[in-house]
Amino acid sequence: MLMKTNPTLLTHAIMERSSTFSFFFLFFIFTFQYTTVVFSMTTTQQRFKEAPKFYNSPTCHTLQHHPNDTCPGNAVHVAMTLDVTYLRGSMAAILSVLQHSSCPENVIFHFLSAASQPSSFATLNQTLTNSFPYLNFQIYPFDDHAVSRLISTSIRSALDTPLNYARSYLADLLPRCVVRVVYLDSDLILVDDIAKLAATPLGDTEVLAAPEYCSANFSAYFTPSFWANPSLSLSFSNRKRPCYFNTGVMVIDLHQWRAGDYTTVIEEWMELQKRMRIYELGSLPPFLLVFAGRIAAVDRRWNQHGLGGDNFRGLCRKLHPGPVSLLHWSGKGKPWVRLDANMPCPLDTMWAPYDLLQSPFALQA
């Protein structure tokens, strides 16, 4: 026996389903548009203010510039990676270097940018030129596709970005006349003269200098399978005590690096990691495997790191005891993200004065 359908109930059901569909459709459209706007604001639509020009003090030696000469005497060479995602942090870092340098006109910047994004390359170059018209800099294309085949997944996706591994290729990318370079991450600011850091003494056999943290649990940076394999764990046996150091701030002797072909050595460890997992943390462990226990010590004031918290939650942290020359927001939490969310950590207010990003109100004007 067929049941009769109530036309009124059927009409209400159709209208209810139509209303529900319309709600979810509008919600999807709003979410998509909001995501698009946020993405755009974090990429190509970022606009930065022009930084003031900083001049050398009377005691500075004038750099002698010649055609095609990228290595004038008395220069301080600084290397950084440059991409759209961390551009805001990079701009703040550059400003902090210049503002606290006694000889800012003697600082030469070398930026590494992903070769797979030529459109971003032009944007980054124009952004730097607009905000720092007098900046002495060069941008070098980094073959990020070639490095991708060596990268293993780590505990945080941001650590797997090929550009995060560019610091291992400085000796190949920078002009051979650059002998010493200070490498800096994009999530830091200096409050001291970078020339002091660049002048860190390096011994005849020391390739790089960085602050060491021997109280950290060094074994935690490698997997149990690494330590259980004598042929691997014994790689640290002929060194002084191997200690953790943060690769976001390093003084590197590129001549010694090239002589030891350390880029190849680091790649060999990365290839082994692809075959058998021996660490969990991105580009740091290969540096520890090659250089831990073999570096020149730098005062910890030059890398007050960890201000971004851990790699999972990015909670607020305090400074380590002692003086401060460089603040480093390594970890998940970045100061510009927390400031935009109106949830800053206390130390994020020290980063804010170096932020060159124009406000949305200035963009509309």
Side-chain angles (χ1 to χ4, degrees):
M1 177 174 145
L2 295 175
M3 296 183 61
K4 294 183 179 179
T5 303
N6 188 320
T8 304
L9 292 177
L10 181 60
T11 302
H12 281 304
I14 294 173
M15 292 178 64
E16 184 176 350
R17 290 183 182 181
S18 177
S19 176
T20 302
F21 174 78
S22 299
F23 170 79
F24 282 109
F25 178 75
L26 291 173
F27 178 78
F28 170 78
I29 292 298
F30 172 79
T31 304
F32 176 78
Q33 290 177 338
Y34 174 78
T35 303
T36 303
V37 170
V38 171
F39 178 76
S40 297
M41 288 299 294
T42 57
T43 54
T44 58
Q45 292 188 9
Q46 291 185 105
R47 295 291 184 272
F48 295 91
K49 296 174 286 187
E50 181 177 331
K53 178 173 170 54
F54 299 95
Y55 297 90
N56 282 356
S57 66
T59 58
C60 298
H61 294 284
T62 303
L63 295 182
Q64 299 298 319
H65 292 283
H66 303 284
N68 301 320
D69 183 5
T70 57
C71 306
N74 304 314
V76 174
H77 294 276
V78 178
M80 300 175 65
T81 58
L82 197 65
D83 69 346
V84 172
T85 304
Y86 283 89
L87 180 58
R88 189 172 170 187
S90 301
M91 300 292 280
I94 296 166
L95 177 60
S96 73
V97 170
L98 298 174
Q99 183 170 325
H100 295 282
S101 174
S102 57
C103 304
E105 295 175 274
N106 293 5
V107 181
I108 299 177
F109 285 87
H110 305 268
F111 299 108
L112 312 183
S113 182
S116 64
Q117 301 175 8
S119 59
S120 296
F121 191 95
T123 300
L124 295 170
N125 184 75
Q126 189 62 49
T127 300
L128 287 172
T129 302
N130 290 343
S131 290
F132 301 99
Y134 305 100
L135 192 68
N136 193 342
F137 75 92
Q138 178 69 40
I139 303 179
Y140 306 84
F142 170 65
D143 191 354
D144 47 326
H145 280 329
V147 178
S148 297
R149 65 178 180 83
L150 296 171
I151 297 176
S152 303
T153 56
S154 61
I155 60 176
R156 184 159 62 92
S157 60
L159 301 176
D160 303 335
T161 304
L163 200 59
N164 199 41
Y165 291 78
R167 70 197 82 190
S168 302
Y169 297 86
L170 287 170
D172 300 328
L173 295 171
L174 270 58
R176 296 192 70 83
C177 60
V178 178
V179 176
R180 175 177 291 217
V181 66
V182 178
Y183 175 81
L184 299 176
D185 271 351
S186 297
D187 53 356
L188 55 78
I189 57 169
L190 276 81
V191 291
D192 203 342
D193 192 342
I194 194 170
K196 300 176 184 177
L197 176 61
T200 301
L202 283 168
D204 293 337
T205 60
E206 292 168 332
V207 180
L208 63 86
E212 289 184 303
Y213 301 87
C214 294
S215 59
N217 182 8
F218 186 79
S219 62
Y221 291 95
F222 303 95
T223 62
S225 60
F226 171 86
W227 295 111
N229 188 325
S231 64
L232 299 179
S233 58
L234 287 177
S235 60
F236 294 111
S237 61
N238 296 324
R239 314 183 195 184
K240 66 180 183 180
R241 181 185 177 187
C243 298
Y244 160 76
F245 64 92
N246 181 273
T247 54
V249 179
M250 297 183 290
V251 181
I252 305 174
D253 184 329
L254 296 179
H255 177 73
Q256 292 279 8
W257 184 293
R258 294 174 183 124
D261 193 16
Y262 287 108
T263 297
T264 299
V265 179
I266 287 176
E267 286 185 337
E268 289 172 350
W269 281 112
M270 293 174 67
E271 289 170 351
L272 178 62
Q273 163 76 352
K274 295 286 286 187
R275 298 196 300 269
M276 57 178 294
R277 200 164 182 85
I278 58 176
Y279 54 79
E280 304 288 352
L281 195 63
S283 63
L284 169 64
F287 267 83
L288 297 180
L289 285 162
V290 177
F291 297 112
R294 296 172 173 167
I295 71 173
V298 176
D299 193 289
R300 294 183 184 179
R301 70 189 300 159
W302 287 105
N303 195 355
Q304 286 271 359
H305 72 292
L307 304 185
D310 58 26
N311 283 300
F312 298 100
R313 293 179 295 173
L315 300 178
C316 298
R317 284 185 177 174
K318 298 179 180 179
L319 290 173
H320 305 292
V324 180
S325 293
L326 185 151
L327 295 90
H328 186 186
W329 280 263
S330 57
K332 184 177 181 180
K334 303 306 174 188
W336 55 90
V337 175
R338 296 192 292 215
L339 287 164
D340 286 352
N342 201 27
M343 298 177 62
C345 292
L347 289 174
D348 294 345
T349 56
M350 298 187 68
W351 181 89
Y354 301 94
D355 186 13
L356 288 173
L357 186 72
Q358 291 185 351
S359 69
F361 303 103
L363 290 176
Q364 294 172 3

